[in-house]
Amino acid sequence: MKIALVHEWLTPKATGGSELVVQEILQHLEADLYALIDFESVNPDSYLFGRTIGTTFLQHLPLARNGVQKYLPLLPLAIEQLDLRDYDLILSSSHAVAKGILTRPHQPHICYCHSPMRYAWDLTFDYLKNSPLGRGIPGFYTRYLLHRLRQWDVISANRVDYFIANSTYTAQRIWRCYRRTAEVIYPPVHVERFPFEPTKDNFYLTVSRLVSYKQVSLIVKAFNELKQPLVVIGSGPELKTIRQVAQSHIEILGPQPNEVVEQYMAKAKAFVYAAHEDFGIAPVEAQACGTPVIAYGAGGALETVRDAQKSPEGGTGLFFSSQNVESLVKTVETFEKIRGIIDPEACRLQANQFAPTIFKQRYLSFLERCCQEWNMGSVHPHF
């Protein structure tokens, strides 16, 4: 069986959860890889180095290497130019437009959806508020563009035969945006590379891209009030602002190599997470170290962290109810009182539920069921 796998973009800066899913799929299936742009096959440090990857005309546009989001109006057109007529099975890994590829009636299309396009749906008004293109005369054009993008997004969802969601929360969003059901298969988290450490030091930790929706500035402001030691690891456009806001008991380390991140995760008193994410890998990685998580109680965190107040036996963290300083401060103060009831072993066991072996079994089994419905036989030679 000839298989194509389509992802949005492949660049050295794109190293998040969706890229981990692509990497995991390619370990278990022989598939040709396609993307809007590819700058990983020429990156000696990438697992894709030297691989032949199909791309679109966006590959040759100025500054494409730094991200194709600047060419947002062209993304739907570009993804539709990929010619996949020679394949038996089409797989996509989509958080924007990858699911919009054109297929023939005999080609089943199975989409692993990390999120419906956030800037067209949930984050529309945040995008308009924080971008110069959201105001004045350019703002009218931007609103019209997003309106058309939503229309295309719904139309392109009808090109998918089977949806997979990376969380129950994402499955609910897929239903709300597209009125399509989705199988929930959690993404692989490489918990085995994180050292388990039951003995903790006296500091809190957050690791994140420093962009507005991650709410790292909220965490910093809360710990300014708490006077508790906090370590912040990550880079992004908010780095300078966060450094200006942080008081002396807060360390802003900027970007760090994986080895340093793992050491801090293992020794932290707790990992603090304020984003509203569809899944969120970082809280799972922290729990793999035996480190409790204090998270905003919404989105994927509700599926990856067990509330110690509701489940004292087996609890792995606490949730704060609102994305504001007061709510986070109260929850950290509560954590200080009850942290002794959270067992590091329980945190590690919780994280193990998201191991790559579980993703492999569930993903390949789902593909097998879909192909059997199409009377295509097995997708994998070892089945």
Side-chain angles (χ1 to χ4, degrees):
M1 186 182 297
K2 198 172 180 184
I3 303 173
L5 172 60
V6 183
H7 188 56
E8 256 89 26
W9 43 78
L10 299 165
T11 73
K13 292 184 178 180
T15 56
S18 61
E19 285 73 33
L20 290 176
V21 168
V22 169
Q23 184 174 2
E24 193 68 24
I25 291 172
L26 291 175
Q27 288 183 5
H28 308 299
L29 292 175
E30 290 185 9
D32 292 335
L33 186 58
Y34 290 84
L36 292 169
I37 59 171
D38 158 46
F39 292 95
E40 282 290 83
S41 61
V42 294
N43 176 12
D45 297 325
S46 173
Y47 72 99
L48 295 173
F49 181 62
R51 187 181 185 119
T52 300
I53 298 173
T55 59
T56 71
F57 64 85
L58 295 177
Q59 179 79 17
H60 310 291
L61 295 185
L63 305 178
R65 185 185 186 92
N66 294 324
V68 293
Q69 294 90 328
K70 62 180 70 66
Y71 299 116
L72 184 61
L74 299 177
L75 301 194
L77 173 64
I79 204 70
E80 291 176 348
Q81 304 313 302
L82 291 175
D83 184 357
L84 306 180
R85 290 174 295 173
D86 294 335
Y87 294 93
D88 303 302
L89 174 63
I90 310 298
L91 307 176
S92 61
S93 164
S94 182
H95 54 76
V97 299
K99 72 181 189 313
I101 47 178
L102 301 180
T103 60
R104 291 184 166 189
H106 71 278
Q107 296 173 303
H109 175 187
I110 303 172
C111 173
Y112 191 101
C113 183
H114 307 277
S115 171
M117 200 183 308
R118 277 190 166 273
Y119 33 83
W121 298 98
D122 303 58
L123 295 181
T124 290
F125 295 106
D126 298 272
Y127 178 77
L128 292 170
K129 179 181 178 181
N130 296 322
S131 171
L133 296 177
R135 297 184 289 274
I137 293 176
F140 288 104
Y141 171 74
T142 303
R143 285 171 170 79
Y144 177 71
L145 170 63
L146 292 174
H147 167 70
R148 293 300 302 269
L149 200 57
R150 281 188 288 273
Q151 291 178 324
W152 179 89
D153 198 39
V154 173
I155 291 170
S156 66
N158 290 318
R159 301 172 188 170
V160 176
D161 297 295
Y162 303 95
F163 268 107
I164 302 171
N166 65 354
S167 67
T168 300
Y169 175 71
T170 299
Q172 293 168 347
R173 292 184 61 228
I174 290 171
W175 174 256
R176 188 174 75 245
C177 296
Y178 310 140
R179 289 298 188 260
R180 297 288 304 278
T181 59
E183 179 87 356
V184 176
I185 300 176
Y186 294 117
V189 182
H190 290 275
V191 294
E192 71 284 348
R193 75 178 178 88
F194 289 87
F196 176 72
E197 177 54 73
T199 304
K200 305 300 181 183
D201 289 344
N202 185 35
F203 68 90
Y204 291 85
L205 173 70
T206 189
V207 180
S208 174
R209 285 185 294 118
L210 303 182
V211 293
S212 59
Y213 85 93
K214 294 287 188 177
Q215 298 287 342
V216 177
S217 59
L218 163 64
I219 298 173
V220 171
K221 291 173 185 177
F223 276 81
N224 281 344
E225 289 193 16
L226 287 160
K227 305 302 179 185
Q228 291 273 6
L230 171 72
V231 175
V232 179
I233 296 177
S235 63
E238 290 203 331
L239 178 58
K240 182 178 179 180
T241 302
I242 288 170
R243 279 187 167 141
Q244 291 172 343
V245 171
Q247 296 178 2
S248 59
H249 60 280
I250 298 176
E251 288 187 80
I252 313 295
L253 299 185
Q256 296 292 325
N258 289 338
E259 298 78 14
V260 174
V261 173
E262 292 158 13
Q263 291 169 9
Y264 274 96
M265 275 192 170
K267 298 301 290 184
K269 183 191 298 187
F271 184 84
V272 187
Y273 192 74
H276 187 167
E277 291 277 22
D278 295 282
F279 178 74
I281 285 180
V284 178
E285 294 173 338
Q287 290 172 94
C289 297
T291 300
V293 175
I294 299 172
Y296 173 50
L302 293 173
E303 301 172 53
T304 60
V305 180
R306 296 188 64 187
D307 191 336
Q309 289 186 299
K310 294 182 178 178
S311 305
E313 293 186 13
T316 64
L318 293 178
F319 295 115
F320 56 99
S321 59
S322 301
Q323 281 179 311
N324 59 49
V325 170
E326 180 183 9
S327 182
L328 178 52
V329 166
K330 287 182 178 179
T331 304
V332 173
E333 290 173 343
T334 300
F335 175 79
E336 287 288 334
K337 296 174 184 176
I338 70 163
R339 56 181 290 229
I341 71 172
I342 299 178
D343 184 358
E345 288 281 359
C347 295
R348 181 73 180 192
L349 288 173
Q350 177 71 1
N352 286 340
Q353 297 181 55
F354 306 96
T357 52
I358 296 175
F359 170 83
K360 172 189 174 183
Q361 185 275 322
R362 295 203 60 202
Y363 184 78
L364 293 180
S365 294
F366 183 73
L367 262 58
E368 189 78 359
R369 295 200 308 272
C370 295
C371 288
Q372 287 174 355
E373 285 187 15
W374 283 68
N375 297 315
M376 295 180 66
S378 178
V379 299
H380 196 270
H382 301 302
F383 268 87

